[in-house]
């Protein structure tokens, strides 16, 4: 089924579901990134840092840091959405992710698809998040493809 904005609006009205403000979504996103960056930095400092002054070693070290960040980001998203239906940042602002198919917590396949696309959007420098600003429900590409929606929990 294709979910147009009008169809989504009809579903939301019928089920009395509210869409969170853009500022809450951005704030939750920033909190999540900050948490993953802290975890990444801790892993990097404790296990992977090198004290070499060779430029190639430093470049390799930065590549490892970036790879670890994206792996941890994907793991964080999948685990939080699977067991809590929201990441820590989303829980702070009272928002959660639901599937448009059944208006409940998404299944694991959908969670993994959404999280992978979200991480790839981050890899490309957050450029693809611009499409969320233009959408009535602030749905990014990862939400559109995976047929999910971020809604208010309160």
């Amino acid at each position: 089924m294709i979910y147009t904005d009008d169809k989504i609006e009809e579903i939301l009205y019928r089920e009395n579901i509210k869409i969170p403000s853009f500022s809450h979504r951005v704030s939750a996103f920033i909190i999540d990134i900050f948490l993953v960056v802290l975890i990444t930095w801790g892993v990097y400092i404790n296990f992977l840092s090198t004290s070499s002054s060779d430029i190639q070693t430093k470049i390799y070290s930065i590549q490892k840091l970036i790879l670890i960040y994206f792996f941890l980001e994907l793991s964080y998203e999948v685990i939080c959405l699977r067991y809590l239906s929201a990441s820590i940042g989303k829980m702070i602002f009272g928002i959660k992710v639901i599937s448009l198919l059944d208006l409940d917590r998404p299944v694991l396949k959908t969670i993994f698809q959404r999280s992978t696309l979200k991480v790839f959007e981050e890899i490309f420098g957050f450029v693809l998040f611009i499409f969320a600003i233009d959408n009535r429900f602030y749905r990014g590409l990862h939400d559109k493809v995976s047929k999910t929606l971020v809604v208010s929990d309160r």
Side-chain angles (χ1 to χ4, degrees):
M1 173 181 230
I2 297 175
Y3 289 95
T4 62
D5 285 351
D6 293 331
K7 179 70 175 167
I8 294 171
E9 188 170 23
E10 177 186 321
I11 292 169
L12 294 177
Y13 181 75
R14 183 181 68 229
E15 299 294 329
N16 195 23
I17 298 173
K18 305 285 186 235
I19 298 296
S21 68
F22 186 70
S23 62
H24 280 176
R25 289 199 62 182
V26 169
S27 300
F29 184 70
I30 290 171
I31 288 172
D32 291 336
I33 286 179
F34 182 71
L35 288 173
V36 174
V37 164
L38 284 177
I39 294 168
T40 303
W41 189 251
V43 168
Y44 177 76
I45 290 298
N46 288 324
F47 301 111
L48 303 169
S49 66
T50 58
S51 60
S52 176
S53 62
D54 181 28
I55 191 71
Q56 287 180 328
T57 306
K58 288 183 180 181
I59 291 172
Y60 180 67
S61 181
I62 291 171
Q63 289 174 339
K64 285 193 299 188
L65 181 66
I66 292 170
L67 182 66
I68 290 168
Y69 169 78
F70 288 115
F71 175 75
L72 288 175
E73 176 73 21
L74 180 65
S75 302
Y76 173 78
E77 286 286 328
V78 169
I79 291 168
C80 285
L81 289 180
R82 175 71 176 135
Y83 295 106
L84 304 172
S85 190
S87 62
I88 294 171
K90 286 180 180 65
M91 285 190 290
I92 290 171
F93 286 95
I95 55 182
K96 65 179 181 177
V97 178
I98 62 170
S99 171
L100 285 173
L101 302 174
D102 57 2
L103 301 179
D104 200 11
R105 181 184 300 164
V107 295
L108 186 59
K109 178 183 173 187
T110 304
I111 290 171
F112 190 74
Q113 180 183 33
R114 181 185 189 277
S115 300
T116 303
L117 286 170
K118 187 174 179 183
V119 167
F120 278 115
E121 288 174 355
E122 290 179 23
I123 288 172
F124 291 116
F126 306 100
V127 174
L128 297 174
F129 287 115
I130 291 173
F131 295 113
I133 296 170
D134 189 37
N135 190 287
R136 211 176 3 182
F137 305 109
Y138 308 119
R139 293 175 72 208
L141 183 64
H142 56 281
D143 284 324
K144 289 179 184 176
V145 171
S146 62
K147 294 182 177 109
T148 57
L149 186 65
V150 178
V151 297
S152 290
D153 196 22
R154 298 176 186 162

